Amino acid sequence: MAKSGVKVLGAWASPYSQMVKIALNLKSIDYEFIQEDVSNKSPLLLESNPVHKKIPVFFHDGKPVCESLVIVQYIDDAWTSNGPSFLPSDPYERATALFWAAYVGDKWSPCMRAVFLGVANGEEGEKTVIPLEEAHQVLAELENAFIKCSKGQKFFGGDKIGYVDIVFGSCLGWLKMIEKWGNFSLIDESNNPNLFKWAHEFCAVDAVKDALPETDKLLEFAKAYGARLKINANK
């Protein structure tokens, strides 16, 4: 076990696992990463997350914490002396950050998955509709949220990476991969100038670069994953 008593059960390509990695890196916490085979779930996963049976699962001194958003909050609360807090101390600003983090999970994540499936199906020669208009609508909301939350600084959290940055930023690996595969832009400088700059600033941070997967490697994985989804759908 890592010296900090921390383990992460996850998958290298999972943005939810990447979210936890980013949070740990920002807090400079050593951890052991355990690669899970989500197609053949391990006893450890089933025992430690019996409700949802999903990754990631975070272990601190043997105690499991489940759900990525909860895990990031736990890390922030458990290591208060390790760097700046992810969530603001002001109750209103804290509530605002929690709202927009939930918005990413409720609106952006399923939207990005729908775009991914559209691109993957189109690669197979099928007639498919890629819901880019919906994606751009959600990004427009996040563009406005960034303007309000950042108060003219680099990140949603201000001058330092905060909770919303970690949650939304963990999607950037998949977002970049989808853009490359589909040969289109989701976040572009003309329609989302603030998010475009934010994405570059966020990905330039060492703690983030160490957590997000390389685009070509993720693209190779995504093409294989999309093919498996198609095969399973036709069974």
Side-chain angles (χ1 to χ4, degrees), residues 112 115-116 174-182 184 186:
M112 186 173 69
V115 173
F116 161 70
W174 275 80
L175 187 147
K176 288 181 177 180
M177 177 275 294
I178 292 169
E179 288 181 326
K180 183 170 184 176
W181 192 2
F184 53 73
L186 290 169

Side-chain angles (χ1 to χ4, degrees), residues 3-38:
K3 292 180 181 179
S4 61
V6 171
K7 292 183 179 182
V8 180
L9 181 64
W12 71 269
S14 162
Y16 303 103
S17 298
Q18 292 153 25
M19 188 189 305
V20 177
K21 285 183 174 183
I22 291 168
L24 288 168
N25 289 347
L26 288 167
K27 290 284 189 177
S28 300
I29 300 166
D30 293 330
Y31 62 94
E32 177 186 350
F33 187 80
I34 305 169
Q35 177 70 25
E36 174 69 23
D37 181 358
V38 294

Side-chain angles (χ1 to χ4, degrees), residues 198-221:
W198 162 80
H200 282 274
E201 295 278 8
F202 183 79
C203 290
V205 175
D206 287 340
V208 175
K209 287 192 287 188
D210 186 56
L212 293 182
E214 196 272 327
T215 301
D216 288 337
K217 181 181 177 182
L218 187 57
L219 179 57
E220 182 180 353
F221 168 85

Side-chain angles (χ1 to χ4, degrees), residues 89-107:
S89 58
D90 177 80
Y92 181 77
E93 291 183 358
R94 185 182 184 92
T96 300
L98 291 171
F99 173 87
W100 285 112
Y103 181 86
V104 171
D106 293 341
K107 296 293 185 180

